[in-house]
Amino acid sequence: MPVIIYAVNGAALILEQLARKIGVAAAWTGIPLMVVLACIEPVLRWAGWGGDLPFGEASTAAFFALTMTSFGYAYAAGAHVRLEVLSRRFSPRARAGIELSGAVLIVLPLCAVVLMDGTESAWRSFQQAERWADTGLTLQWVLRAWVPAGFLLLMLASIASALRAIMTLAAK
């Protein structure tokens, strides 16, 4: 039994750290990128080099990617919305039961559906060489791929949370 507990805790930790590290990496790269891209376009217009440069659109894409990767980070870090007023009154086992139920009945099925549909949508966009709105770049699939990527991170964080809840419920 201790080997199983060690393995489950290790798996939960790996999944949680993966979601957190990817979320932090996305924030450290995405936020500065978003700010720089948002600032470049007006500066270039002011300098007379404006036109059809896609910096505004790329800034929006960076914001979208950052938002999608933040779901898994927030869940893994415990920064998601909870009714703390109610849950702090429950026993650890009751909180674990609620967490497990929420993960298995709501979060994981939602992630699975979005992951399947989002992957299909990104693949179709890639095959059709779908273009960004105002540019000739055939990169719409990259933006669409962030949806399943974000929900995959949320799924990993949710699995980690469910494993921890199972361990809490299994403890005597």
Side-chain angles (χ1 to χ4, degrees):
M1 186 69 162
V3 173
I4 293 172
I5 293 171
Y6 181 76
V8 171
N9 280 333
L13 183 63
I14 289 169
L15 294 174
E16 197 173 78
Q17 285 180 344
L18 184 64
R20 281 180 171 213
K21 287 182 180 187
I22 291 173
V24 168
W28 277 104
T29 56
I31 292 173
L33 179 65
M34 187 173 58
V35 170
V36 167
L37 289 171
C39 292
I40 286 176
E41 188 171 26
V43 169
L44 290 178
R45 280 189 188 154
W46 176 78
W49 297 330
D52 295 334
L53 298 174
F55 294 117
E57 200 167 302
S59 176
T60 302
F63 174 75
F64 181 74
L66 183 62
T67 301
M68 294 311 299
T69 51
S70 71
F71 296 155
Y73 172 81
Y75 198 92
H80 58 292
V81 176
R82 283 201 174 130
L83 295 175
E84 293 293 332
V85 175
L86 296 175
S87 67
R88 68 177 156 195
R89 295 180 185 179
F90 298 145
S91 69
R93 288 178 59 84
R95 282 194 302 268
I98 292 168
E99 186 70 32
L100 181 60
S101 298
V104 170
L105 298 174
I106 298 169
V107 180
L108 291 174
L110 172 68
C111 288
V113 168
V114 174
L115 192 60
M116 289 185 297
D117 188 54
T119 302
E120 181 184 330
S121 175
W123 178 248
R124 210 172 33 250
S125 178
F126 176 76
Q127 287 178 320
Q128 296 172 356
E130 189 176 4
R131 299 180 185 285
W132 268 355
D134 295 333
T135 67
L137 300 175
T138 57
L139 294 174
Q140 183 65 32
W141 67 271
V142 174
L143 191 60
R144 289 182 185 270
W146 279 105
V147 174
F151 276 85
L152 176 63
L153 291 175
L154 178 58
M155 181 181 266
L156 296 178
S158 180
I159 291 169
S161 179
L163 290 173
R164 291 191 191 284
I166 289 169
M167 295 309 297
T168 301
L169 291 171
K172 294 183 180 182

